[in-house]
Amino acid sequence: MTLQLQESFGTFAPFLDAVFHAGHNADIPDRRLRMEAVALGLNEGVGSTGGFLVEEEVAEALWQRVYAIGSIIRRCAKISTGKREVRIPAIADTGGVGAARFGGVQISWTDEAAPGGETRPKIDLLKMKLKKLLAVVYAADELLEDAPALAVTVERLFGIAAAFEIEKAIISGSGVGAPLGVLNSPALITVAPEAGQAAGSVVQENLANMVERLWGPSHANAVWLMGNDAFSSILKLESELGLELIKTGADGQRLLHQMPIELCEYTTSLGVAGDIVLGDFSQYLLAEREPQFMSSIHVKFITDESTFKFRYRAEGQPAWASPITPENSANTQSPFVALGARP
């Protein structure tokens, strides 16, 4: 059963208020609520006997908070899809001196009427089967009575929690039941520490070597990711060397070797491989379906609670199958570089 939406709620608070009153006046639902009834056992709907879908405009506003909070999500190459599996042609390119670049496309200068080189591009097919992320919030009826205050709290906490889980998967996801994170990707380059380097330390050569292995075009988009411990180690390194390694850009953004620094919880512990990451996330593919927000007054009926559920289907992985060897260097390069372990 579906009722067509007659008017718009505009914001989340009026929707919460309508859900609360629907639970107490079931025979007189707000005409703006769109109800969805589902058969028992088919858990695609809301609750055991039906629920309410958050209207598109309100859902979009909620989701925008996730993107506002998630600085890494904003940097990814996003692919919107209505399907559960996406197949994306990708160039297989390992590079090298004299090698056919960009997956096997051979380009050469020739005299007039002279034949060009044969081209047999090698194309990889990235199969991206969307995974499901669920978030559930239970709200007591007493809280629903103050819908504006509850709306602010749910929006804030939901944005923080959803952004955290999605970005954590982008960095360290296993690829099983979650996106493939850059730290587990075959495209990642891990830079070895210096000989005799102290456990858990960061030295100037580590940072320079990471920049050296970053793919040239990625210098325009790359960002440093690290936790507070690694950041503190770089600050101490500045003091020891008497150098200003970290500078401030015109927009107030901290810069290291002219690339922004993002402090986060997604990297590993200090001294563990991956505690500092230099990445160009425009080279990370994030396929996603439009998220759904739903509510039910039935799931927790006996405890006077309403349930709000968020469902997001997505899959992500680097667009690169492996690093490349540039024509002018023997050192491989990649859009994703991590500092190795210093145990």
Side-chain angles (χ1 to χ4, degrees):
M1 174 179 65
T2 301
L3 300 183
Q4 296 297 318
L5 209 61
Q6 301 297 318
E7 299 175 20
S8 172
F9 285 105
T11 61
F12 194 36
F15 172 80
L16 292 178
D17 186 63
V19 170
F20 170 74
H21 286 95
H24 292 78
N25 302 280
D27 295 332
I28 315 174
D30 191 306
R31 66 172 181 266
R32 294 174 294 177
L33 289 173
R34 196 174 86 199
M35 296 190 293
E36 181 176 284
V38 297
L40 293 175
L42 299 180
N43 297 316
E44 282 290 309
V46 187
S48 59
T49 57
F52 304 109
L53 294 176
V54 179
E55 66 175 297
E56 183 177 342
E57 291 81 2
V58 176
E60 183 178 355
L62 285 169
W63 188 240
Q64 285 175 349
R65 291 185 66 89
V66 177
Y67 279 95
I69 294 170
S71 60
I72 297 173
I73 300 174
R74 296 198 302 269
R75 297 176 182 273
C76 294
K78 287 178 281 296
I79 303 168
S80 297
T81 178
K83 302 178 180 179
R84 294 195 179 184
E85 184 171 316
V86 182
R87 299 190 178 194
I88 302 172
I91 295 170
D93 180 12
T94 57
V97 178
R101 302 304 303 274
F102 308 111
V105 176
Q106 298 186 24
I107 300 177
S108 58
W109 297 99
T110 67
D111 293 329
E112 186 175 350
E118 294 184 0
T119 297
R120 294 185 179 87
K122 180 182 178 183
I123 303 295
D124 280 344
L125 195 63
L126 298 182
K127 296 180 181 179
M128 304 178 70
K129 187 173 183 180
L130 274 59
K131 313 299 193 304
K132 183 168 64 175
L133 178 67
L134 286 177
V136 179
V137 177
Y138 298 116
D141 285 351
E142 289 81 1
L143 292 176
L144 280 172
E145 290 178 359
D146 190 358
L150 179 61
V152 171
T153 301
V154 170
E155 289 176 4
R156 180 175 62 85
L157 295 181
F158 166 75
I160 294 172
F164 180 88
E165 286 300 323
I166 297 167
E167 293 194 332
K168 183 172 70 172
I170 291 171
I171 302 304
S172 59
S174 66
V176 179
L180 178 64
V182 297
L183 291 180
N184 294 311
S185 166
L188 179 71
I189 290 176
T190 301
V191 172
E194 297 298 295
Q197 184 173 342
S201 65
V202 179
V203 298
Q204 191 175 14
E205 290 78 7
N206 296 153
L207 306 174
N209 290 341
M210 291 179 69
V211 172
E212 180 185 15
R213 305 296 294 278
L214 183 68
W215 184 48
S218 287
H219 283 239
N221 299 310
V223 59
W224 297 91
L225 300 180
M226 63 188 75
N228 285 0
D229 292 343
F231 182 67
S232 177
S233 295
I234 296 176
L235 293 178
K236 293 174 183 176
L237 178 62
E238 280 189 320
S239 179
E240 294 171 2
L241 298 177
L243 298 174
E244 185 184 12
L245 298 176
I246 299 174
K247 300 182 180 180
T248 303
D251 58 355
Q253 175 75 63
R254 296 188 184 102
L255 303 175
L256 175 59
H257 291 312
Q258 300 182 7
M259 287 173 277
I261 299 173
E262 293 284 355
L263 299 182
C264 66
E265 299 179 50
Y266 316 125
T267 50
T268 60
S269 301
L270 185 65
V272 177
D275 59 344
I276 299 179
V277 174
L278 181 58
D280 172 12
F281 290 91
S282 71
Q283 299 300 309
Y284 188 93
L285 303 175
L286 183 61
E288 58 183 6
R289 291 181 64 177
E290 183 178 334
Q292 292 179 298
F293 294 82
M294 296 155 280
S295 71
S296 174
I297 57 177
H298 305 286
V299 174
K300 289 284 187 176
F301 176 76
I302 61 174
T303 56
D304 283 336
E305 292 177 293
S306 292
T307 303
F308 298 91
K309 184 172 74 172
F310 151 80
R311 181 168 63 217
Y312 172 65
R313 285 192 171 96
E315 171 65 312
Q317 65 184 76
W320 291 44
S322 66
I324 66 165
T325 301
E327 188 167 354
N328 58 358
S329 175
N331 290 326
T332 56
Q333 296 179 357
S334 172
F336 304 103
V337 183
L339 180 57
R342 290 97 58 215

